[in-house]
Amino acid sequence: MLLDDRLATVLRSGAAGERAARTQYRQLLDLLGTMPPGANGPLVTAAYARLAEISDQLPAADQSRILREPWLRLRNPRLLAYLAEGDPQAAAAAMATARLEEEQWVELIPELPVTARGFLRHRRDLPGKARALLARLGVRDLVLPYPDGPAVLEAEPAQRAPAPTTAAPAAEAHASSAESNGEGISALVRRIEAFQQARRSAPAALDPRLPLGDGAPDPAREHGTSCDIAIDVTGRIGWATPGFAPLLVGLELAAAEVLDSASRAAMRRHQPVRSGKVRLEGVAAIAGEWIIDAAPSFGPTGSFTGYDARLRRSFGGPVRSVASGPADRMRQVLHELRTPVNAIQGFAEIIQQQLFGPAPNTYRALSAAVGVDSARLLAGFDEIDRVVRLESGEAELSENGCNLRLAIERTLKRLEGVTRPRGARMRLLVSGEGFAVRLGEDDGAVLGWRILATLAGSLAPGEVIELTLSGSREWVTLTMDLPVGLAADDPFGAAAPAQAPAVTAGMFGSGFTLRLARAEAIAAGGSLTVEDDTLVLSLPALTGSAAGHSGGAVSTA
């Protein structure tokens, strides 16, 4: 959606004039160059068509200069194959600046024109398999004979850049068999001409083929309803069944928006995963709901090496459309916002750390500030994503259990440094025995911090409020007096203050933070409500009582 929206924006703008054409040429190269190889659709087709129009307008020298700019990202084999068919000067620049993975080079090189291969041979940074493949193809780069010449095919030396020809890459495997069968060079020339004409008329084709009568592969056979994967120690997919590998390898499967919370907890403990829920976004071949079964693997010394797993469709019906509800649309908006912020943060870190060379200290200080602001924005996006997922029921909290009293006391201790200089206090009164709640330790600590930090940031100088924690077999309840700054209005509707408070649990103000805490409490089976100027948190207790604690009062000085 991000690429499609950007493409739509670029295509809506005009390219009248040479300057506008150069700008749009850069934009199209950047968007198409970073697009997944399998991406397709009307906007993508229109983008390639617009790129062809602009290429006819711009001089070859301008195209080459743009293609050699250091910021340009040519990571799409499809775009590289398209540029290789264009002007030799632009094709040489594209071959010099493209950055593909080793397997992508191996798949692309046999399909490149002989001229483009010649440009590639001048590169010294190609992966080993790509260099070996070029070396093998160097003695098989075929050129057509002159009309009056002998009906033989000459080998082009690998050390010399080959001259432009009309030989198509896919025809190499058929040349010798064509001669032996008496088909002759004339038939081969006709097929090559037909192939080139088809490529010119449909430059966006993903699978160009010679008209040799063998037909195209059936796309339905390329993907199925299950696949095997290998997950590394970081939670990323490092290997997948060949048909799914281009779509899945590199995906962070252990991310919160992909894998359900119970399965993530099992992976953190290196335990088997049974019938976990996986939700993938992307092309139709992988988009939708999946079920995962995974077994941990260990090395000879007993060290954890990852998971061997199988993904299978959770149902046999058609794949559910991505972005089918408000939560999906909100996540897409957040994805579009995260992308430029991530880029800004990355460039700021490059300057601050002087990765590309020395930078003045003034610029380093500014870039450090930009990096901090970017991190705050990304944290805010995470908060929005979390509240949307919780309110829509698409996220689950861990139920491993935690002692709410300990979590509250630790949080109050951390907040002493903020409240004490202002003479403010939050005093905790405890009654009852059982304080274990159905919430994971991490989720319990975060929930306590959101609520208590919001209250601490709203305390006036010298203000003292009381917190009462009571426990029983069924519920654990925390009742909190609202500070004067929050008691006047609806705490859940409070807007972000013009001036940041001394401490805050979120960048969008106390109202949003409390709404997020309420969503977390509801997801844990409890509630967060306002009753007569008091804020009441109720969470279901775990079966059985935690260790007994004597009642008393804990005060933050």
Side-chain angles (χ1 to χ4, degrees):
M1 286 298 299
L2 170 64
L3 290 174
D4 286 350
D5 289 346
R6 287 183 170 181
L7 280 178
T9 302
V10 172
L11 294 175
R12 280 196 300 268
S13 61
E18 189 172 343
R19 182 173 182 179
R22 282 197 295 268
T23 300
Q24 193 166 110
Y25 188 75
R26 289 187 177 92
Q27 293 171 336
L28 290 173
L29 287 177
D30 184 62
L31 292 176
L32 295 176
T34 55
M35 184 178 295
N40 208 343
L43 281 176
V44 178
T45 302
Y48 276 94
R50 179 70 64 84
L51 190 65
E53 296 174 3
I54 298 177
S55 298
D56 293 336
Q57 300 174 15
L58 288 181
D62 288 350
Q63 297 180 42
S64 176
R65 184 167 57 253
I66 293 173
L67 285 165
R68 293 182 184 274
E69 290 177 351
W71 62 268
L72 191 63
R73 300 170 294 178
L74 291 182
R75 303 170 185 169
N76 188 347
R78 175 182 171 185
L79 176 63
L80 194 59
Y82 171 80
L83 295 172
E85 294 289 338
D87 183 273
Q89 191 173 355
M95 294 301 109
T97 58
R99 296 294 182 268
L100 302 182
E101 300 294 334
E102 186 174 50
E103 296 302 323
Q104 291 176 325
W105 278 121
V106 171
E107 293 178 6
L108 176 64
I109 287 175
E111 299 180 8
L112 291 176
V114 178
T115 307
R117 290 187 208 157
F119 297 140
L120 272 182
R121 291 192 181 98
H122 294 287
R123 292 186 56 163
R124 295 295 178 264
D125 59 344
L126 289 179
K129 290 183 180 179
R131 292 197 303 269
L133 180 59
L134 283 172
R136 291 198 304 270
L137 293 175
V139 296
R140 298 182 180 90
D141 284 345
L142 305 179
V143 297
L144 292 176
Y146 290 101
D148 297 332
V152 294
L153 299 176
E154 300 177 350
E156 182 74 8
Q159 296 79 5
R160 181 170 47 123
T165 74
T166 57
E172 297 167 5
H174 301 275
S176 59
S177 60
E179 282 192 302
S180 62
N181 294 333
E183 192 170 0
I185 294 300
S186 59
L188 181 61
V189 170
R190 287 195 300 270
R191 289 190 176 123
I192 292 173
E193 290 175 350
F195 164 72
Q196 291 184 330
Q197 179 62 32
R199 288 196 65 146
R200 285 192 294 267
S201 61
L206 280 175
D207 301 308
R209 301 179 62 82
L210 277 173
L212 298 175
D214 54 350
D218 183 6
R221 298 181 180 179
E222 296 183 5
H223 303 287
T225 58
S226 66
C227 72
D228 295 326
I229 59 174
I231 307 170
D232 61 21
V233 294
T234 66
R236 292 185 179 275
I237 298 177
W239 176 89
T241 301
F244 286 89
L247 307 175
L248 293 178
V249 171
L251 174 68
E252 187 177 357
L253 192 66
E257 62 272 14
V258 177
L259 188 63
D260 66 278
S261 58
S263 300
R264 294 200 312 274
M267 284 191 171
R268 285 195 297 268
R269 297 190 295 268
H270 302 167
Q271 295 178 348
V273 176
R274 295 289 180 264
S275 299
K277 297 179 181 180
V278 175
R279 187 182 185 281
L280 300 179
E281 297 182 2
V283 297
I286 64 169
E289 306 292 338
W290 294 78
I291 299 296
I292 183 173
D293 295 308
S297 57
F298 300 90
T301 61
S303 59
F304 175 69
T305 59
Y307 277 89
D308 296 323
R310 166 161 288 191
L311 288 172
R312 66 182 190 277
R313 284 291 184 187
S314 58
F315 54 86
V319 177
R320 181 172 65 89
S321 174
V322 180
S324 60
D328 295 313
R329 290 193 290 270
M330 177 57 71
R331 278 198 297 274
Q332 289 181 357
V333 171
L334 292 175
H335 177 67
E336 295 182 8
L337 292 173
R338 282 192 184 102
T339 300
V341 175
N342 276 321
I344 292 172
Q345 186 182 41
F347 283 118
E349 292 176 354
I350 288 174
I351 297 173
Q352 198 273 332
Q353 299 177 25
Q354 304 183 97
L355 297 180
F356 289 170
N361 290 332
T362 303
Y363 287 171
R364 294 182 63 196
L366 291 173
S367 62
V370 170
V372 171
D373 292 340
S374 300
R376 292 182 65 251
L377 284 175
L378 293 174
F381 296 157
D382 290 339
E383 291 182 5
I384 296 175
D385 181 65
R386 184 173 177 83
V387 73
V388 169
R389 292 174 64 85
L390 288 171
E391 291 182 347
S392 63
E394 296 186 11
E396 299 176 356
L397 300 181
S398 173
E399 298 182 358
N400 296 336
C402 77
N403 190 313
L404 187 61
R405 176 178 178 174
L406 293 179
I408 295 299
E409 290 177 348
R410 290 169 181 167
T411 304
L412 291 175
K413 191 70 175 177
R414 293 172 59 190
L415 292 171
E416 284 184 3
V418 178
T419 58
R420 181 179 296 174
R422 295 184 293 156
R425 288 188 300 169
M426 291 189 294
R427 186 170 57 186
L428 177 64
L429 304 175
V430 180
S431 63
E433 293 184 345
F435 302 102
V437 297
R438 290 167 47 189
L439 199 62
E441 290 188 2
D442 292 341
D443 290 331
V446 170
L447 176 60
W449 171 259
R450 292 194 204 282
I451 298 175
L452 298 180
T454 300
L455 297 181
S458 301
L459 287 174
E463 185 175 7
V464 178
I465 62 174
E466 289 189 352
L467 287 64
T468 303
L469 180 65
S470 59
S472 65
R473 286 184 173 272
E474 291 80 20
W475 294 92
V476 177
T477 303
L478 178 64
T479 304
M480 300 156 279
D481 292 339
L482 285 173
V484 175
L486 287 178
D489 301 318
D490 177 17
F492 296 104
Q499 184 175 1
V503 62
T504 177
M507 65 175 296
F508 299 113
S510 59
F512 180 86
T513 302
L514 290 178
R515 288 199 300 273
L516 175 53
R518 180 173 61 185
E520 291 175 333
I522 294 174
S527 63
L528 181 65
T529 58
V530 176
E531 301 175 3
D532 299 330
D533 292 338
T534 60
L535 190 64
V536 181
L537 171 67
S538 298
L539 295 173
L542 281 176
T543 303
S545 299
H549 299 283
S550 59
V554 178
S555 173
T556 62

